[in-house]
Amino acid sequence: MSSQQKVETYGTGRKTLKSYMTGLVLSLIFTFTAFYLVGQHTLSTTALYVSLSLLAVMQLLAQVIFFLCLTNKTAEGRWNTMPFIFVIAIILLLVGGTLWIMYNLNYHMVH
Protein backbone atom coordinates (compact mmCIF):
# COMPACT_ATOMS: atom_id res chain seq x y z
CA MET A 1 0.00 0.00 0.00
CA SER A 2 1.52 3.32 -1.05
CA SER A 3 1.65 6.44 1.09
CA GLN A 4 -1.08 8.13 -0.96
CA GLN A 5 -3.35 5.09 -0.58
CA LYS A 6 -2.85 5.15 3.19
CA VAL A 7 -3.78 8.86 3.31
CA GLU A 8 -6.92 8.17 1.27
CA THR A 9 -7.81 5.02 3.24
CA TYR A 10 -7.47 6.45 6.74
CA GLY A 11 -8.56 10.01 5.96
CA THR A 12 -5.64 11.69 7.65
CA GLY A 13 -3.85 14.70 6.33
CA ARG A 14 -0.50 14.58 4.62
CA LYS A 15 2.27 13.87 7.13
CA THR A 16 5.37 15.83 6.22
CA LEU A 17 8.46 17.01 8.06
CA LYS A 18 7.24 20.60 7.64
CA SER A 19 3.97 19.73 9.38
CA TYR A 20 5.77 18.06 12.29
CA MET A 21 8.28 20.92 12.65
CA THR A 22 5.50 23.53 12.61
CA GLY A 23 3.67 21.59 15.32
CA LEU A 24 6.84 21.28 17.38
CA VAL A 25 7.60 25.00 17.16
CA LEU A 26 4.03 25.96 18.07
CA SER A 27 3.96 23.51 20.98
CA LEU A 28 7.24 24.89 22.33
CA ILE A 29 6.01 28.48 22.00
CA PHE A 30 2.78 27.69 23.87
CA THR A 31 4.65 25.77 26.59
CA PHE A 32 7.33 28.40 27.16
CA THR A 33 4.72 31.17 27.16
CA ALA A 34 2.81 29.35 29.92
CA PHE A 35 6.00 28.86 31.95
CA TYR A 36 6.92 32.52 31.52
CA LEU A 37 3.48 33.78 32.61
CA VAL A 38 3.49 31.62 35.73
CA GLY A 39 7.14 32.23 36.59
CA GLN A 40 7.13 36.01 36.18
CA HIS A 41 3.72 36.68 37.79
CA THR A 42 2.94 39.23 35.07
CA LEU A 43 -0.84 38.82 35.26
CA SER A 44 -3.49 38.80 37.95
CA THR A 45 -4.71 35.43 39.16
CA THR A 46 -7.89 35.49 37.11
CA ALA A 47 -6.10 36.64 33.95
CA LEU A 48 -3.47 33.97 34.51
CA TYR A 49 -6.11 31.22 34.74
CA VAL A 50 -7.78 32.45 31.55
CA SER A 51 -4.44 32.76 29.72
CA LEU A 52 -3.31 29.29 30.75
CA SER A 53 -6.64 27.81 29.69
CA LEU A 54 -6.39 29.47 26.27
CA LEU A 55 -2.80 28.31 25.87
CA ALA A 56 -3.84 24.76 26.77
CA VAL A 57 -6.62 24.80 24.15
CA MET A 58 -4.24 26.20 21.52
CA GLN A 59 -1.70 23.50 22.45
CA LEU A 60 -4.39 20.83 22.00
CA LEU A 61 -5.40 22.20 18.61
CA ALA A 62 -1.80 22.45 17.42
CA GLN A 63 -1.11 18.85 18.38
CA VAL A 64 -4.31 17.55 16.82
CA ILE A 65 -3.77 19.41 13.56
CA PHE A 66 -0.03 18.97 13.13
CA PHE A 67 0.74 15.64 14.86
CA LEU A 68 -2.50 13.64 14.50
CA CYS A 69 -3.20 15.27 11.12
CA LEU A 70 -6.98 15.14 11.46
CA THR A 71 -8.67 16.71 8.48
CA ASN A 72 -12.13 17.24 7.04
CA LYS A 73 -11.03 17.21 3.40
CA THR A 74 -12.26 13.68 2.67
CA ALA A 75 -15.27 11.65 3.75
CA GLU A 76 -12.98 9.33 5.72
CA GLY A 77 -11.37 12.33 7.40
CA ARG A 78 -14.74 13.55 8.58
CA TRP A 79 -15.44 10.12 10.07
CA ASN A 80 -12.11 10.29 11.93
CA THR A 81 -12.85 13.80 13.19
CA MET A 82 -16.34 13.09 14.53
CA PRO A 83 -15.24 10.77 17.39
CA PHE A 84 -12.64 13.36 18.38
CA ILE A 85 -15.30 16.08 18.55
CA PHE A 86 -17.54 13.75 20.60
CA VAL A 87 -14.72 13.09 23.09
CA ILE A 88 -14.07 16.83 23.43
CA ALA A 89 -17.79 17.43 24.07
CA ILE A 90 -17.88 14.73 26.78
CA ILE A 91 -14.75 16.15 28.43
CA LEU A 92 -16.23 19.67 28.43
CA LEU A 93 -19.44 18.32 29.92
CA LEU A 94 -17.57 16.47 32.69
CA VAL A 95 -15.27 19.39 33.52
CA GLY A 96 -18.10 21.93 33.41
CA GLY A 97 -20.33 19.76 35.60
CA THR A 98 -17.53 19.16 38.08
CA LEU A 99 -16.76 22.89 38.35
CA TRP A 100 -20.46 23.67 38.77
CA ILE A 101 -20.83 21.08 41.55
CA MET A 102 -17.69 22.31 43.34
CA TYR A 103 -18.86 25.93 43.12
CA ASN A 104 -22.27 25.03 44.54
CA LEU A 105 -20.73 22.97 47.34
CA ASN A 106 -18.38 25.80 48.22
CA TYR A 107 -21.21 28.33 48.19
CA HIS A 108 -23.52 26.24 50.37
CA MET A 109 -20.82 25.32 52.89
CA VAL A 110 -19.72 28.95 53.35
CA HIS A 111 -23.17 30.55 53.50
Side-chain angles (χ1 to χ4, degrees):
M1 182 177 281
S2 71
S3 175
Q4 183 62 26
Q5 288 172 332
K6 287 180 185 176
V7 168
E8 291 172 3
T9 302
Y10 298 114
T12 60
R14 196 98 177 125
K15 296 178 182 176
T16 62
L17 181 61
K18 180 182 176 186
S19 173
Y20 286 124
M21 292 306 293
T22 304
L24 175 66
V25 169
L26 284 175
S27 293
L28 289 174
I29 289 171
F30 296 146
T31 301
F32 290 139
T33 302
F35 274 108
Y36 176 79
L37 291 175
V38 171
Q40 298 299 318
H41 305 288
T42 56
L43 301 173
S44 68
T45 304
T46 305
L48 185 64
Y49 289 152
V50 171
S51 299
L52 291 177
S53 298
L54 289 175
L55 284 168
V57 169
M58 290 189 308
Q59 178 85 268
L60 174 71
L61 291 175
Q63 293 198 10
V64 165
I65 292 169
F66 292 107
F67 295 131
L68 293 178
C69 299
L70 287 181
T71 182
N72 284 331
K73 294 180 182 174
T74 64
E76 291 294 325
R78 283 187 284 280
W79 281 108
N80 287 339
T81 304
M82 293 306 283
F84 177 74
I85 293 171
F86 177 72
V87 167
I88 295 298
I90 295 297
I91 290 171
L92 289 175
L93 181 69
L94 287 173
V95 169
T98 301
L99 291 174
W100 181 28
I101 289 169
M102 289 190 317
Y103 173 77
N104 282 329
L105 285 174
N106 182 39
Y107 177 79
H108 291 294
M109 290 184 79
V110 172
H111 293 104

